[in-house]
Amino acid sequence: MRYVRIENLKDGMVNFKTLLGKNNEFLLNSGAIIRESYISKLKELGYSGIYIEDSLSEDITVPVFIADSLRLKCMNSIKDIYTQISNEKLLDTKVIDNLGKNIDEIIDSILSNKELLVNVIDLKGYDNYTFFHSVNVTILSLAVGIKLNSSRNVLFQLGMAAMLHDIGKIFIPKEILNKSDKLTDEEFAQIKSHPLKGYELLKNNNYISHYSCSGILHHHEKYNGTGYPMELSQDKISLLGRIIMVADVYDALTSDRPYRNALFPSNAIEYVMGGGGTLFDPDIAKSFINIIAPYPVGTSVKLSNNKSGIVVKNYPDFCMRPVIKILFHGDSLIEPYLIDLKNDSGALNVLITGLADF
């Protein structure tokens, strides 16, 4: 299979991964033939692209970092918590226990991954953004925590903070959260209140530690002291807050929003690299960029030698030098072959120059 950006989807392509709507209904089944009307709907829902299956990519398998079934369980747990709070009910033990079990499963899944490398592009739209974003930030945060050799206890508390980092947004009007125009000063002030609102909501909850709550409170604090709500800097920001900050920004950048298009992983990684020491803790930023594949398996890329193809393997220690299945020379389809940008002596001067349009 391979990832095709929404602008390159064509009538007759075959969808590979089942897409679910905000209520877990089936939007597009695996094996469905893509039609122009489907493409228009996917654009409307905010999808940047989808995975397809075709003769060019039939031998390519995208690694599974976290199973879709586990993602779905986590999304449902988060949704249950938001629903309880929206209905002005106290959080009960059951919903917190369910969330804790999900976090333990994510930790176990990441620990069992032989290569700590996030090697996928998430398929997400506007409708399920809030819950999908919370799960993604949790997965990314825990991967960083594991990279930093954090204890199991710290990982669990990090996971709880990451899952609930945006819970304060439940008190912000949706028209402000989804506004496509520039926010007024008053509206932005409301947005900036959500870490404190989330912290105040949960700080006296017996099932969530104060350490986790500190991560929720600090997840928009910047390393140079220009963040919010308290303008903390460096190690005055809790470790959990510093980790979640990076994961939150990365996932937001790689998501289509009503007010801007998603960045591709390689561009978002450049942003994180550039923000080390100012926006982000430099050590955490370094750990983060070492667990994200800039060009995930299944991505179509152009090379500096006028050839293009699909990424088939990434190396955690040389993430910009993957193995690529070459398919085109210029615009001409050629006999496929593999080029290993890390190990092939003839490829030392070959660079990825961008994404390919096929």
Side-chain angles (χ1 to χ4, degrees):
M1 66 170 152
R2 64 187 178 98
Y3 178 78
V4 177
R5 288 174 290 158
I6 199 76
E7 61 267 28
N8 295 326
L9 279 178
K10 295 180 176 62
D11 190 278
M13 287 182 168
V14 180
N15 180 52
F16 185 87
K17 295 185 74 173
T18 297
L19 300 184
L20 299 176
K22 62 180 178 180
N23 297 313
N24 301 328
E25 73 278 15
F26 288 101
L27 289 178
L28 198 60
N29 286 320
S30 175
I33 307 299
I34 303 298
R35 301 302 180 203
E36 287 293 340
S37 58
Y38 300 172
I39 298 173
S40 298
K41 185 64 175 178
L42 290 172
K43 287 179 179 177
E44 180 186 324
L45 291 172
Y47 281 91
S48 299
I50 63 172
Y51 285 99
I52 70 159
E53 53 181 328
D54 61 6
S55 58
L56 297 178
S57 60
E58 58 188 0
D59 57 344
I60 298 174
T61 302
V62 175
V64 176
F65 194 68
I66 298 293
D68 288 341
S69 57
L70 178 52
R71 285 180 180 270
L72 185 57
K73 282 199 298 184
C74 293
M75 286 176 64
N76 287 335
S77 292
I78 289 289
K79 191 178 293 187
D80 287 344
I81 288 174
Y82 272 66
T83 299
Q84 278 202 346
I85 295 171
S86 297
N87 293 335
E88 298 183 354
K89 295 178 180 177
L90 295 175
L91 291 178
D92 60 37
T93 309
K94 183 178 179 181
V95 294
I96 298 298
D97 282 349
N98 284 340
L99 190 63
K101 290 174 183 176
N102 294 157
I103 291 167
D104 277 327
E105 283 191 61
I106 293 175
I107 294 170
D108 289 339
S109 183
I110 297 174
L111 287 172
S112 68
N113 198 301
K114 293 180 180 179
E115 294 181 347
L116 186 57
L117 189 66
V118 181
N119 210 335
V120 294
I121 300 170
D122 289 312
L123 308 181
K124 52 199 169 189
Y126 304 145
D127 280 350
N128 60 6
Y129 175 77
T130 297
F131 306 120
F132 210 117
H133 174 67
S134 296
V135 176
N136 276 349
V137 170
T138 302
I139 293 168
L140 294 170
S141 297
L142 288 172
V144 172
I146 289 170
K147 183 74 174 177
L148 295 171
N149 296 314
S150 301
S151 68
R152 181 78 187 215
N153 179 50
V154 169
L155 289 174
F156 183 84
Q157 294 185 77
L158 171 61
M160 190 66 74
M163 280 285 193
L164 299 171
H165 76 282
D166 270 346
I167 195 72
K169 285 185 176 179
I170 204 166
F171 303 109
I172 312 299
K174 287 185 179 180
E175 56 268 24
I176 294 178
L177 292 174
N178 297 322
K179 187 177 179 180
S180 56
D181 299 326
K182 184 178 179 180
L183 295 172
T184 66
D185 290 344
E186 182 182 344
E187 289 168 338
F188 189 47
Q190 288 194 60
I191 291 288
K192 292 199 297 183
S193 71
H194 80 269
L196 182 57
K197 287 181 181 294
Y199 171 78
E200 290 177 339
L201 174 71
L202 299 174
K203 66 179 181 179
N204 295 320
N205 189 294
N206 294 328
Y207 312 116
I208 300 170
S209 73
H210 184 268
Y211 193 41
S212 290
C213 289
S214 72
I216 294 168
L217 179 61
H218 295 164
H219 78 274
H220 277 293
E221 299 288 357
K222 297 176 182 176
Y223 196 69
N224 63 2
T226 62
Y228 59 85
M230 295 181 292
E231 298 184 348
L232 301 178
S233 64
Q234 299 188 25
D235 59 3
K236 291 185 176 68
I237 308 167
S238 67
L239 174 64
L240 305 193
R242 281 178 277 149
I243 293 173
I244 296 170
M245 170 66 168
V246 182
D248 180 44
V249 169
Y250 175 85
D251 190 67
L253 288 174
T254 54
S255 302
D256 264 324
R257 305 301 294 127
Y259 43 84
R260 60 149 179 79
N261 294 328
L263 294 184
F264 195 73
S266 55
N267 301 115
I269 288 171
E270 286 183 12
Y271 184 88
V272 172
M273 290 173 65
T278 53
L279 301 178
F280 314 116
D281 180 319
D283 293 330
I284 291 173
K286 183 178 179 180
S287 294
F288 187 87
I289 62 177
N290 285 333
I291 64 164
I292 303 289
Y295 297 98
V297 171
T299 300
S300 302
V301 294
K302 296 184 293 186
L303 303 180
S304 57
N305 59 5
N306 198 32
K307 295 178 182 178
S308 56
I310 304 171
V311 175
V312 300
K313 179 182 178 180
N314 273 294
Y315 295 106
D317 51 344
F318 288 91
C319 59
M320 296 298 291
R321 310 293 293 173
V323 180
I324 300 165
K325 179 182 180 181
I326 300 297
L327 296 163
F328 291 89
H329 191 168
D331 294 328
S332 301
L333 187 65
I334 61 175
E335 187 69 25
Y337 68 94
L338 296 180
I339 180 172
D340 187 330
L341 297 185
K342 175 188 174 186
N343 296 311
D344 289 354
S345 58
L348 296 180
N349 295 320
V350 179
L351 302 172
I352 296 176
T353 59
L355 303 177
D357 296 324
F358 65 83

